[in-house]
Amino acid sequence: MKNSLLKTLTAFCVLLICAISLARISMPSQITEEHKTTDKKTAVIKTAASFRPYQDPKDLRAPFNWKKPSETKPYPKIKHLENDLTIRVSIKGNRVYILRNGKRIYTMIASAGLFKKGKSLTPVGTFKIKNDRGDSFYNPDLNEGANNWTSWDKHNVYLFHSVPTKNNGKYNVKEAEKLGVKPASHGCVRLSVPDSRWLVEKIPAGTKVIVKNN
């Protein structure tokens, strides 16, 4: 009887030790997989911000609102013929930066050209703000328009302008909600309504415009 009980206990202990050993062997693999999954999720979250040349300022409006200025602070004061300004466009970063002597003085939420076959519909390079600007336009070929446009292309093909409008002149809310989230235009650079108006009224002709993917 005692021998039988002893054999049973011994067998149970052996099985228990085996189970613990197997658990220890499998745990690192599970933990590694969890870390991999977490790392992948983190990478996705950080991707948009990683394309921006500057971190978003603390006073950037949150949540974004295409009806309001991008920052909660006042717009910078610009002299009538100021020539030390640069407008820096980050296509993948969905941002436009106003620079003075190379130093950022304002950040705007933006959406530039869609990417097709790995290339944005917004051209990259160095350009200049033109004298051409206006209150609104409508393109029947695209069935889309916008307000507050400022040209940075000699043919007036590429513009800074507000979020798009429909053929009835009302804002296209579905498209407006893409502002600052992803590239969405046919090549122009979309801005919030007040930001686009400020550009029309304050930015001097001849201001350098630098457009990059990042």
Side-chain angles (χ1 to χ4, degrees):
M1 180 74 176
K2 287 182 179 180
N3 288 337
S4 177
L5 182 60
L6 185 60
K7 287 181 180 179
T8 302
L9 287 172
T10 302
F12 176 76
C13 290
V14 171
L15 288 172
L16 183 61
I17 291 169
C18 290
I20 292 171
S21 298
L22 287 171
R24 286 179 176 175
I25 291 169
S26 61
M27 279 176 65
S29 175
Q30 292 173 354
I31 291 170
T32 301
E33 290 301 318
E34 288 175 3
H35 280 309
K36 286 181 180 178
T37 304
T38 304
D39 290 342
K40 286 180 181 179
K41 290 179 180 177
T42 303
V44 171
I45 292 171
K46 291 182 178 179
T47 297
S50 68
F51 289 110
R52 296 170 193 150
Y54 305 95
Q55 289 186 345
D56 285 342
K58 293 180 180 179
D59 52 11
L60 194 71
R61 194 176 298 279
F64 306 148
N65 189 330
W66 57 271
K67 298 178 182 179
K68 296 182 179 181
S70 291
E71 293 196 41
T72 55
K73 72 179 184 182
Y75 288 113
K77 292 182 179 180
I78 305 297
K79 296 176 184 177
H80 178 58
L81 296 175
E82 189 165 349
N83 60 6
D84 56 0
L85 299 174
T86 301
I87 300 177
R88 170 73 158 83
V89 179
S90 173
I91 298 175
K92 291 183 178 180
N94 305 306
R95 297 288 186 272
V96 165
Y97 304 99
I98 309 300
L99 311 177
R100 176 179 279 138
N101 290 322
K103 183 179 179 181
R104 177 183 55 164
I105 58 174
Y106 202 86
T107 299
M108 294 181 173
I109 302 302
S111 288
L114 289 162
F115 276 80
K116 293 189 176 182
K117 296 182 179 179
K119 185 178 181 181
S120 173
L121 296 178
T122 300
V124 297
T126 301
F127 309 87
K128 286 186 177 181
I129 293 291
K130 305 300 179 184
N131 282 310
D132 303 291
R133 54 192 81 194
D135 293 331
S136 64
F137 73 89
Y138 178 73
N139 186 332
D141 293 332
L142 300 175
N143 193 29
E144 187 175 272
N147 294 328
N148 311 324
W149 61 272
T150 303
S151 176
W152 46 276
D153 168 68
K154 62 182 180 181
H155 301 297
N156 289 343
V157 174
Y158 299 104
L159 317 167
F160 290 109
H161 60 63
S162 73
V163 291
T165 55
K166 301 178 181 179
N167 57 6
N168 60 6
K170 294 183 178 180
Y171 287 110
N172 185 331
V173 176
K174 183 178 179 181
E175 286 296 311
E177 289 176 348
K178 296 177 183 178
L179 189 71
V181 178
K182 60 182 178 179
S185 79
H186 299 284
C188 293
V189 180
R190 298 175 179 177
L191 302 169
S192 76
V193 177
D195 288 355
S196 62
R197 191 66 211 170
W198 181 82
L199 241 68
V200 169
E201 295 177 349
K202 301 298 182 181
I203 294 297
T207 297
K208 183 187 292 186
V209 178
I210 299 175
V211 183
K212 294 185 178 183
N213 282 321
N214 58 10

